Amino acid sequence: MKSHRKELWFNTKSRREYINITDDVAEVVRESGVQQGLVLVNAMHITASVYINDAESGLIQDYDDWLERIAPFNPSGDPSSGGYNHNRTGEDNADAHMKRQVMGREVVVAITDGRFDFGPWEQIYYAEFDGRRRKRVLVKVIGE
Amino acid sequence: MKSHRKELWFNTKSRREYINITDDVAEVVRESGVQQGLVLVNAMHITASVYINDAESGLIQDYDDWLERIAPFNPSGDPSSGGYNHNRTGEDNADAHMKRQVMGREVVVAITDGRFDFGPWEQIYYAEFDGRRRKRVLVKVIGE
Amino acid sequence: MKSHRKELWFNTKSRREYINITDDVAEVVRESGVQQGLVLVNAMHITASVYINDAESGLIQDYDDWLERIAPFNPSGDPSSGGYNHNRTGEDNADAHMKRQVMGREVVVAITDGRFDFGPWEQIYYAEFDGRRRKRVLVKVIGE
């Protein structure tokens, strides 16, 4: 069995950002030399997601609006006014912990003949919900 | 290490449909000959999900109603009237991209002694949110 | 390829509970002797989740409140009064099936040099949404 790991680093300009990392992950798969296997791609931070969906700017805006409705940003630590208990710790990112659960921590992608075994529109995204600082994604390949 | 892959194809009559694929995936696991390993089951399209939950028709109706409340179907491209930016591309399926994120793209199931290592009620479902066309699921088995 | 499996059992006092299982899963990884690989950790029941996020009590309260807003507990089988079709089967836990989908069934974690390949704050949680009975989590390790 072969294995290979690599970290991808990000430091977004905006608090929330959606970055297509498909080519970066494909490069790690190539480096691994794995022909048949699985690649795990996960956010290493708990206020960010890795997900697979469309590279379409309108949809990305829709996701951002929808997540903000489901779990609105609110720096307050007072739930009775729309804030979050978590923000009493000095953080202001409780909403980001919610958004990340909706979009997920990780994806697992099949590798067949040395490449992603993908449908026609699958693209891997890093979704940042509390950026403007250095954060990273783990890519772990196993197989043969 | 052994590996095996197979695609399952669907063409649902309704826009949204929930199909129990447990037996189909079990058959792929048997074909693989893998005794100890993992099986990845993922939608290859970005408006459909693979998830594990109950084979109970009332619950499936509840899921469908609930997802429609969280991300209502609306073919409009105008967010100010409940539509989605994505639908300006000529698509009408932005809601399906949201529903799929809630239910997830994939499941990973353990294989022990050649069979699913499942709890008592676990069943694998394909959830279609924008059907009436040919779409598919990937089953990838790795192990020994 | 090595593989190893173990079940973790729970019987929570409350209907909903959030339990940090990071150390328990780490022990299973150590037992496996796997140096490079993947560990799958999944709820074996369909009204519970395994997820990765923060060990912070305020955030856990926020998750609980948020999930209760997204899918409120209601033992009724009448959707027109806020109940769920599923509860006509004699169950009262339809809300738990919804909450589990938001938080997810499983996590897959990379093993590197015999240990979790984790970011600084990642902790593995078992989230129980319909407890007060014996339920379990599967830990399956594969690798070398």
Side-chain angles (χ1 to χ4, degrees):
Chain A
M1 204 197 74
K2 286 179 183 173
S3 74
H4 183 55
R5 86 182 282 284
K6 195 163 193 175
E7 293 174 6
L8 309 177
W9 285 82
F10 306 91
N11 191 345
T12 63
K13 284 182 194 159
S14 313
R15 186 178 185 89
R16 299 205 298 272
E17 217 160 290
Y18 303 81
I19 300 167
N20 190 332
I21 60 172
T22 313
D23 291 347
D24 302 288
V25 179
E27 177 61 26
V28 180
V29 170
R30 272 191 297 273
E31 288 168 14
S32 75
V34 166
Q35 295 298 302
Q36 302 292 335
L38 298 176
V39 53
L40 168 70
V41 191
N42 69 265
M44 297 183 80
H45 298 257
I46 54 186
T47 51
S49 290
V50 171
Y51 72 92
I52 287 178
N53 218 295
D54 205 356
E56 198 280 300
S57 60
L59 180 69
I60 289 168
Q61 186 62 55
D62 291 330
Y63 275 142
D64 195 62
D65 296 343
W66 177 69
L67 291 167
E68 184 61 14
R69 281 197 302 275
I70 292 176
F73 171 71
N74 190 322
S76 154
D78 178 9
S80 73
S81 70
Y84 300 90
N85 296 292
H86 180 57
N87 292 345
R88 294 181 195 169
T89 61
E91 300 277 0
D92 65 358
N93 64 4
D95 68 299
H97 290 274
M98 313 280 142
K99 290 172 169 108
R100 122 68 169 257
Q101 289 308 120
V102 176
M103 296 303 272
R105 168 186 180 260
E106 78 216 10
V107 297
V108 178
V109 178
I111 301 169
T112 299
D113 300 332
R115 302 177 61 176
F116 294 142
D117 202 330
F118 260 172
W121 300 102
E122 292 189 272
Q123 296 283 305
I124 309 173
Y125 270 80
Y126 175 67
E128 176 62 84
F129 302 119
D130 182 29
R132 296 178 295 196
R133 51 197 173 103
R134 278 170 60 75
K135 294 168 76 172
R136 57 200 160 123
V137 159
L138 176 66
V139 184
K140 180 87 181 189
V141 186
I142 70 162
E144 252 179 12
Chain B
M1 203 198 75
K2 286 179 183 174
S3 73
H4 182 56
R5 85 182 283 283
K6 194 162 194 175
E7 294 174 5
L8 308 177
W9 286 81
F10 305 91
N11 192 345
T12 62
K13 284 182 192 158
S14 313
R15 186 178 185 89
R16 299 205 300 272
E17 216 160 290
Y18 303 81
I19 300 168
N20 190 332
I21 60 172
T22 313
D23 291 346
D24 301 289
V25 179
E27 177 60 26
V28 180
V29 170
R30 272 191 296 273
E31 287 168 15
S32 75
V34 166
Q35 295 299 301
Q36 301 292 335
L38 298 176
V39 54
L40 167 71
V41 190
N42 69 266
M44 298 184 79
H45 297 257
I46 54 186
T47 49
S49 290
V50 171
Y51 71 92
I52 287 178
N53 217 295
D54 205 356
E56 198 279 301
S57 59
L59 180 69
I60 290 169
Q61 186 62 54
D62 292 329
Y63 275 143
D64 195 62
D65 297 343
W66 178 68
L67 291 167
E68 185 62 12
R69 283 196 301 274
I70 293 176
F73 171 70
N74 189 322
S76 155
D78 178 9
S80 74
S81 69
Y84 300 90
N85 296 291
H86 180 58
N87 291 344
R88 293 180 195 171
T89 61
E91 300 276 1
D92 65 359
N93 64 4
D95 69 298
H97 291 274
M98 312 281 142
K99 290 172 170 108
R100 124 63 171 259
Q101 289 308 121
V102 176
M103 296 303 272
R105 167 186 180 260
E106 79 216 10
V107 297
V108 178
V109 178
I111 302 169
T112 299
D113 301 333
R115 301 176 62 175
F116 294 142
D117 202 330
F118 259 171
W121 300 103
E122 293 189 273
Q123 296 282 304
I124 309 174
Y125 271 80
Y126 174 67
E128 176 62 84
F129 302 120
D130 182 29
R132 297 178 294 196
R133 51 197 174 102
R134 276 169 62 73
K135 293 168 75 171
R136 58 201 158 120
V137 159
L138 177 66
V139 184
K140 180 88 180 188
V141 186
I142 71 163
E144 253 178 11
Chain C
M1 204 196 76
K2 285 180 184 173
S3 74
H4 182 55
R5 86 182 282 285
K6 194 163 194 176
E7 294 173 6
L8 309 176
W9 286 81
F10 305 91
N11 191 345
T12 62
K13 283 182 193 158
S14 313
R15 185 178 186 90
R16 299 205 300 272
E17 215 160 291
Y18 303 81
I19 300 167
N20 190 332
I21 60 173
T22 312
D23 291 347
D24 302 288
V25 179
E27 177 61 26
V28 180
V29 170
R30 271 191 297 273
E31 288 169 13
S32 75
V34 166
Q35 296 298 301
Q36 301 292 335
L38 298 176
V39 53
L40 167 70
V41 190
N42 69 265
M44 298 184 79
H45 297 256
I46 54 186
T47 50
S49 291
V50 171
Y51 72 92
I52 287 178
N53 217 295
D54 205 355
E56 197 280 301
S57 60
L59 180 69
I60 289 169
Q61 186 62 54
D62 291 329
Y63 275 142
D64 196 61
D65 296 343
W66 178 68
L67 292 167
E68 184 62 14
R69 282 196 301 275
I70 292 177
F73 171 70
N74 189 323
S76 155
D78 178 9
S80 73
S81 69
Y84 300 90
N85 296 292
H86 180 58
N87 291 345
R88 293 179 196 171
T89 61
E91 300 277 0
D92 66 358
N93 64 4
D95 69 298
H97 291 273
M98 314 279 142
K99 290 173 170 107
R100 122 67 170 256
Q101 290 307 121
V102 175
M103 296 302 273
R105 167 186 180 262
E106 78 216 11
V107 297
V108 178
V109 178
I111 301 168
T112 299
D113 300 333
R115 300 177 62 176
F116 294 142
D117 201 331
F118 260 171
W121 301 102
E122 293 190 273
Q123 296 283 304
I124 309 174
Y125 271 80
Y126 175 67
E128 177 62 83
F129 302 119
D130 182 30
R132 297 179 293 197
R133 49 196 175 104
R134 276 169 62 74
K135 294 169 74 172
R136 58 200 159 121
V137 159
L138 176 66
V139 184
K140 179 88 181 188
V141 186
I142 70 162
E144 251 176 14

